[in-house]
Amino acid sequence: MQDALIRLTDYWAGRGCLVAQPMNTEVGAGTLNPATALRVLGPEPWRVAYTEPSVRPDDSRYGDNPNRLQTHTQFQVVLKPEPGDAQEQYLGSLAALGVDLRAHDVRFVEDDWASPALGAWGLGWEVWLDGLEITQFTYFQQSGGLTLDPVAVEITYGMERILMALQGVSHFKDIQYAPGITYGEAFGQAEYEMSRYYLDDADIAANRELFEAYAAEARRMLDARLPVPAHSYVLKCSHAFNVLDARGAIGTTERARAFARMRGLAHEVAALWVERRAELGHPLGDATAPPAAVEPGELPDAASAGTFALEIGVEELPPGEVGRTAEHVEGRLRDGLAEARLLTDASSLAAYATPRRIIVLVQGLEAREPDAEQVVKGPRFAAAYDASGAPTRALEGFARGHGIEVSDVRKVAVAGGEYAGYTRTVAGRSAAEVLAGLLPEIVTGLRAGKNMRWNAPGLSFARPIRWLVALLDDREVPVAVGGLTAGRATRVHRTSPTPRVDVPDAASLVAVLREHGIEPDPSRRRARIAEAARALAGGLGGTVALADEHALVEEIVNLVEEPVALLGSFDAKYLELPEEILTTVMRKHQRYLPVRDAAGGLLPHFVTVANGDCDHDAVRAGNEAVLRARYEDASFFFRQDLRGTPEQIKEGLGRLTFTERLGSMADRSSRIAAIAADLAGRLDLTAAERAVLGRAAALAKFDLASSMVIELPSLAGTMAREYARRAGEDDGVARALYEMELPRAAADAPPSVAGAVLAAADRLDLLAGLFAVGSAPTGSSDPFGLRRAALALTAVLRDVPRLAPVTVGDGLAVAARHQPVAVAPDALAEAERFIARRLEQHLLDEGHPVHVVRAVLPLAGAPAQAARAAADLGELLGSAAFERLTTALQRVLRIVPAGTEAGYDPALFTEPAEHALHEAFTRVKAELTARPSLPEFAAAASALVGPIDAYFDDVMVMAEDPGVRANRLGLLAALRDTAAPVLDWREIA
């Protein structure tokens, strides 16, 4: 290992990096060393490399876990400003370590980084070596709450992981650290003893005192305007907090306050550092100057219709952005070319996309846009000539300014007005001219869910754009944007002998990429993955459930450019773990496809998909080792959890923060139980159901404190069911604990009534509490998943008929009574509207027409009734009888003023039609139930159509006598109020 550290140091020193020293106090990551945390701030250039022992008390495992250490070794590199080829330089460092890049599968997999406590974040990747995460690669965007300019790239190597892979060992203790000395021999004792200290022996009172002392000293140093010692004491403060956290001594309120305190100090340190460097005159210089503008070359011309190819080359995009970006670019290009009339019926566009490139191929592109007749408007015609008919100065100035004779001016009509003007012929631009204006707009307009900056002025996107290909037939369209100039050079695999390849002409781009092992068509990659997975699993008598793994397959399609499927295996002993643990690790952590037998049971095999040609045996062995380590972790957590009962595990909820104002997860669990009890009081439950609900409510959310769910949060509910069963709980209780986390997907089966009540109580508590404290979603930000919670609530209320007595509004009111903060009526009303909007969108997604969905929104408080009404309305709209009823009710709604109260006196009727409508209305009301369905209402109310029509034909509603008028409007208002709860009739006019 020491040889690897020396090699990395030499490699980066040879590329201009200063070799710094580790921080002389405990840090949780190399990022916190001032050589990174402070030096990324401000305009000065900075290139640094150093080894950093990173101390994380919560990862203490006494040296028993093969992959977790309380002190692990990072090698940290910072390049500021980012150089434009940091990925290539990084891959060169792996080669310097002895990694054969052509034999191994090295990939950049989306992994965005953030440290709220430090006000720092960036976008980038985990770097995988044969499935093993070995490096964090991040483009820093902000630190200490300050936006970074220039942007720096941070590369953090996990040395133990890299060396375990290179040396082929399965435990960190077995790493050869130096000749004749293993890692365990060198550091095993320290690992055990420090784990003992952090988990068992650290003095809580002493560390609390240290926290306060360090925070106070950091404050004193800030007041003295000394950012470096202040930063050092913030780090000491953070470590004291981490020790207390590992000892389980940090409560909810204390955690929130400590984070806020450290975050505030870190922000002040960052701001003070920037100030001090400016006072010193930025001794290292200023790297914020933009690169020199690139002047594009001469545009080509074309004599006939041709082919155009655009390729936008990027560093590895997040999988979810690949297809969306391709659609966007194709749409923008199509619209721009169509607007310029360069497309004909014979033209075609095709989009291709991989993680590293977005391609649009246009065939049948016209050579030039047609000439156009353009009306040029001058002064108003009335002001263009005087009374004698002579041109006015305004007209003469207009003619002179446009280089025409006054005699050329004619009367022109523009936007309904008459003006003096003329018509001129505008010559059409060449296709290259149109593209030269359009392509920069497309590139600069690219946006993703999360966007970043890099060393390219004017550009912001999910990941850096590194090259552009723009070819019109065999000629380059040399567009310049963001410091890049489009040409004919594309890039292929980074491990290729010639990673940059010239494309002879537009029509050849896709073929050139395929010749170099890149499949740009996602559908072909998808088919290749599916075919190979089926064949590999079939060779074992197994199968891959591709339909069930659709989402994972789509992710894999957009993680690779050349899919190479490999079959791997794991020890069958791990099949003793719950299947959900095994498949969650495979899918979410490793992107492996599970292999199953004919009955659907899990086999000890998986399919992984490498990116490009590689040494199959080496890559398979690497992935198998990664999965083995993951399963060892899972086994450790599972065994650890089974040592305690559900009640004992639940005690840990008190140490998990929900939000500062709403308390801990233990507080939330108690609220869910209380809300569930109140909801149950509204339902017709058997004694057995009440007993199941009561016991499950008492254990609500307990598994969130389990080691397994802390490690794999998506297993919440699944592990509650597993641990409850193993603890001997009633199967109904175990099932309810699982179901309270549902629904997760539309295909989930409806829960039991106990599970449904808990699920509803969970979401109601979340929505009522967070709306009360002002944490409603804003824009794309929804950190608490409230949109998902609202949709889940409507699904539960919709799919479980026995919850019909519970409405959204009533449920929110129940939840509000149990919150630790006052819940304002406006907050509850906003929460109810928020839930209604989610139901509205869901009904639209199901295919209901917009006017149908809007018509049933008055029923949104009862989602089952709203969904049923939408389906019923879709059928009734084609009925002549329903159309007559709708027309009659529209007449009522149009004439009754807003705010008119229902109520009338039949004794004041003077016309037979009034009596007839009153009698028909009385019969209809008697026939209707309290909450009639739409078909029931339509069937009963159809008897009102004739009387309503006769009423409007024979009765003057707006009579001169105020009393008569009010009585007649009161009758119609009563009709309105009877129909209103069923539909918003105005939406189906």
Side-chain angles (χ1 to χ4, degrees):
M1 184 161 172
Q2 71 181 23
D3 181 58
L5 293 171
I6 292 169
R7 289 188 184 189
L8 283 176
T9 301
D10 288 345
Y11 177 86
W12 287 109
R15 280 152 185 79
C17 285
L18 177 152
V19 178
Q21 299 304 308
M23 187 58 184
N24 57 3
T25 191
E26 295 93 341
V27 295
T31 303
L32 303 178
N33 187 308
T36 294
L38 299 183
R39 289 290 185 175
V40 296
L41 297 163
E44 295 172 276
W46 182 249
R47 296 172 73 91
V48 70
Y50 55 93
T51 302
E52 188 67 66
S54 300
V55 181
R56 298 179 183 176
D58 201 42
D59 279 344
S60 298
R61 295 293 187 273
Y62 307 102
D64 294 335
N65 188 287
N67 302 293
R68 296 229 179 187
L69 302 89
Q70 55 80 31
T71 299
H72 65 280
T73 310
Q74 292 183 345
F75 190 86
Q76 178 85 353
V77 176
V78 171
L79 307 176
K80 173 191 175 188
E82 66 87 7
D85 65 345
Q87 285 183 314
E88 286 74 17
Q89 291 193 44
Y90 166 75
L91 291 173
S93 75
L94 294 186
L97 285 175
V99 177
D100 184 344
L101 298 176
R102 295 180 65 82
H104 292 277
D105 180 33
V106 179
R107 270 189 280 168
F108 294 82
V109 180
E110 175 194 11
D111 186 53
D112 301 334
W113 175 85
S115 174
L118 297 177
W121 68 274
L123 302 186
W125 308 270
E126 298 173 350
V127 183
W128 287 9
L129 174 63
D130 301 335
L132 176 69
E133 179 192 349
I134 59 170
T135 305
Q136 184 79 32
F137 191 112
T138 305
Y139 287 98
F140 255 120
Q141 302 294 300
Q142 194 175 79
S143 183
L146 303 177
T147 298
L148 302 186
D149 184 20
V151 169
V153 63
E154 177 198 48
I155 304 171
T156 304
Y157 301 75
M159 296 307 300
E160 285 83 4
R161 290 188 173 203
I162 293 173
L163 268 295
M164 287 171 68
L166 290 177
Q167 295 182 8
V169 298
S170 58
H171 199 294
F172 74 86
K173 290 182 178 179
D174 298 325
I175 294 171
Q176 286 294 313
Y177 198 91
I181 301 176
T182 67
Y183 196 113
E185 290 167 341
F187 303 111
Q189 178 184 353
E191 188 64 29
Y192 170 78
E193 291 185 7
M194 292 308 298
S195 293
R196 272 282 308 273
Y197 173 75
Y198 291 137
L199 298 180
D200 306 311
D201 297 321
D203 186 286
I204 292 173
N207 276 278
R208 287 192 195 282
E209 291 175 6
L210 287 172
F211 179 89
E212 293 298 330
Y214 293 149
E217 190 69 354
R219 173 78 272 154
R220 198 171 70 85
M221 292 299 96
L222 284 166
D223 293 342
R225 301 194 77 249
L226 299 174
V228 176
H231 179 73
S232 175
Y233 278 99
V234 171
L235 295 180
K236 293 177 186 293
C237 191
S238 175
H239 181 66
F241 173 86
N242 291 338
V243 174
L244 291 168
D245 197 26
R247 290 283 282 127
I250 299 293
T252 303
T253 303
E254 185 178 7
R255 178 186 302 276
R257 289 175 179 168
F259 272 162
R261 193 172 178 185
M262 290 186 289
R263 181 168 54 248
L265 291 170
H267 285 198
E268 288 189 60
V269 167
L272 182 57
W273 168 267
V274 172
E275 287 179 21
R276 290 286 296 122
R277 296 303 291 178
E279 291 169 2
L280 294 171
H282 297 133
L284 297 179
D286 187 333
T288 58
V294 177
E295 291 296 328
E298 184 177 344
L299 294 174
D301 203 356
S304 60
T307 299
F308 172 70
L310 169 66
E311 180 184 51
I312 302 174
V314 294
E315 294 180 357
E316 282 77 353
L317 287 173
E321 297 292 348
V322 175
R324 188 200 63 77
T325 302
E327 291 178 9
H328 171 78
V329 172
E330 180 189 12
R332 287 283 289 111
L333 188 58
R334 182 188 301 275
D335 291 346
L337 295 176
E339 184 179 344
R341 292 170 293 168
L342 290 173
L343 299 180
T344 68
D345 292 343
S347 304
S348 65
L349 278 80
Y352 303 86
T354 80
R356 292 189 66 204
R357 67 199 75 236
I358 303 298
I359 296 171
V360 181
L361 194 66
V362 185
Q363 293 181 314
L365 182 69
E366 290 292 283
R368 303 186 69 82
E369 63 181 343
D371 294 346
E373 297 292 312
Q374 183 183 51
V375 174
V376 182
K377 181 184 74 171
R380 287 191 173 274
F381 194 78
Y385 300 92
D386 61 20
S388 67
T392 63
R393 287 186 177 183
L395 179 58
E396 290 175 339
F398 169 73
R400 188 166 51 253
H402 286 266
I404 61 172
E405 299 295 328
V406 170
S407 59
D408 294 329
V409 174
R410 301 287 183 269
K411 182 189 293 185
V412 296
V414 178
E418 293 183 335
Y419 298 86
Y422 71 102
T423 301
R424 68 181 178 189
T425 299
V426 179
R429 297 169 296 169
S430 70
E433 287 180 275
V434 173
L435 290 166
L438 180 58
L439 299 185
E441 293 178 5
I442 292 175
V443 174
T444 57
L446 287 175
R447 290 296 181 273
K450 291 181 181 179
N451 298 289
M452 59 168 281
R453 296 170 297 106
W454 62 99
N455 194 22
L459 299 185
S460 175
F461 189 45
R463 295 296 184 273
I465 300 168
R466 293 305 188 192
W467 77 91
L468 298 170
V469 171
L471 292 173
L472 186 57
D473 290 329
D474 60 351
R475 287 152 296 178
E476 299 177 18
V477 183
V479 175
V481 56
L484 299 172
T485 300
R488 68 175 66 251
T490 187
R491 301 189 190 182
V492 294
H493 292 299
R494 295 186 180 96
T495 55
S496 170
T498 52
R500 300 188 184 213
V501 178
D502 281 349
V503 180
D505 56 68
S508 301
L509 174 58
V510 170
V512 167
L513 292 172
R514 285 175 177 154
E515 287 171 10
H516 287 81
I518 291 170
E519 177 46 69
D521 188 341
S523 64
R524 289 196 181 193
R525 296 200 301 277
R526 187 180 301 110
R528 192 183 299 178
I529 291 166
E531 181 181 353
R534 278 194 294 261
L536 289 171
L540 299 168
T543 184
V544 173
L546 292 170
D548 295 341
E549 306 295 348
H550 172 75
L552 177 58
V553 170
E554 289 304 300
E555 183 179 7
I556 295 170
V557 165
N558 290 323
L559 278 172
V560 297
E561 293 200 296
E562 183 186 9
V564 176
L566 304 171
L567 183 69
S569 304
F570 58 89
D571 196 318
K573 71 179 183 181
Y574 294 119
L575 293 175
E576 296 173 5
L577 291 169
E579 179 182 307
E580 293 88 349
I581 294 176
L582 303 179
T583 56
T584 297
V585 169
M586 277 194 259
R587 294 186 186 113
K588 291 188 177 295
H589 284 266
Q590 299 303 133
R591 282 70 164 186
Y592 296 162
L593 293 166
V595 177
R596 299 181 179 276
D597 60 25
L602 206 59
L603 292 173
H605 304 284
F606 62 90
V607 173
T608 185
V609 181
N611 184 35
D613 192 27
C614 57
D615 182 327
H616 289 205
D617 290 338
V619 174
R620 179 185 301 107
N623 280 275
E624 289 176 342
V626 174
L627 192 60
R628 180 171 60 250
R630 293 277 191 189
Y631 284 169
E632 277 299 310
D633 270 356
S635 296
F636 175 85
F637 296 133
F638 189 59
R639 292 192 304 270
Q640 187 176 52
D641 288 339
L642 290 178
R643 292 177 189 150
T645 65
E647 289 93 339
Q648 290 169 331
I649 295 174
K650 186 184 175 187
E651 292 172 3
L653 291 179
R655 296 191 294 272
L656 300 178
T657 303
F658 177 43
T659 70
E660 182 176 5
R661 294 180 63 191
L662 298 178
S664 68
M665 287 306 303
D667 299 323
R668 182 154 138 69
S669 173
S670 297
R671 287 198 302 273
I672 291 170
I675 295 166
D678 283 0
L679 296 180
R682 299 164 181 253
L683 307 176
D684 182 20
L685 303 184
T686 66
E689 287 170 335
R690 290 185 185 278
V692 167
L693 176 59
R695 178 58 181 161
L699 296 174
K701 300 285 184 183
F702 84 87
D703 60 325
L704 296 189
S706 69
S707 299
M708 184 63 72
V709 174
I710 290 172
E711 181 71 12
L712 299 172
S714 64
L715 289 176
T718 298
M719 299 317 300
R721 178 180 61 188
E722 183 70 26
Y723 294 149
R725 284 175 175 169
R726 288 177 179 256
E729 295 287 347
D730 179 86
D731 192 62
V733 172
R735 179 184 174 191
L737 288 167
Y738 168 73
E739 292 171 336
M740 75 175 294
E741 301 294 338
L742 301 180
R744 289 191 174 109
D748 288 336
S752 65
V753 68
V757 172
L758 282 175
D762 179 8
R763 276 61 173 211
L764 288 166
D765 174 71
L766 197 67
L767 290 157
L770 290 169
F771 269 83
V773 298
S775 294
T778 56
S780 62
S781 175
D782 185 13
F784 293 97
L786 293 184
R787 293 186 178 95
R788 188 169 59 250
L791 196 59
L793 176 64
T794 61
V796 170
L797 296 180
R798 176 177 171 177
D799 296 341
V800 184
R802 293 181 64 188
L803 264 61
V806 177
T807 66
V808 171
D810 288 346
L812 287 170
V814 168
R817 290 198 292 271
H818 294 282
Q819 298 305 311
V821 297
V823 184
D826 287 350
L828 279 185
E830 178 56 30
E832 189 166 5
R833 288 192 294 271
F834 176 80
I835 295 166
R837 290 195 293 271
R838 303 281 76 71
L839 177 63
E840 177 183 13
Q841 187 58 53
H842 187 59
L843 292 174
L844 290 171
D845 291 343
E846 289 182 341
H848 296 289
V850 173
H851 66 287
V852 168
V853 173
R854 289 178 177 168
V856 304
L857 281 184
L859 306 173
Q865 192 176 356
R868 186 169 63 248
D872 291 338
L873 181 58
E875 296 180 4
L876 288 170
L877 283 174
S879 160
F882 187 73
E883 185 177 347
R884 289 193 295 272
L885 173 61
T886 300
T887 301
L889 291 175
Q890 296 292 345
R891 299 182 75 179
V892 173
L893 296 173
R894 280 195 296 268
I895 201 170
V896 179
T900 302
E901 293 187 7
Y904 59 95
D905 183 356
L908 298 180
F909 292 159
T910 60
E911 302 292 341
E914 291 181 278
H915 289 285
L917 179 55
H918 161 64
E919 291 166 3
F921 180 43
T922 301
R923 289 192 298 272
V924 168
K925 284 202 299 181
E927 186 178 338
L928 290 173
T929 60
R931 296 170 70 177
S933 68
L934 179 57
E936 290 169 346
F937 177 84
S942 62
L944 294 172
V945 174
I948 289 174
D949 289 343
Y951 185 85
F952 281 104
D953 290 342
D954 300 342
V955 176
M956 175 61 69
V957 178
M958 307 305 285
E960 292 185 8
D961 186 315
V964 173
R965 183 170 64 247
N967 198 56
R968 290 173 178 174
L969 287 172
L971 170 59
L972 295 177
L975 286 169
R976 175 202 64 195
D977 291 353
T978 301
V982 179
L983 281 182
D984 184 346
W985 297 91
R986 291 166 298 187
E987 293 291 345
I988 54 173

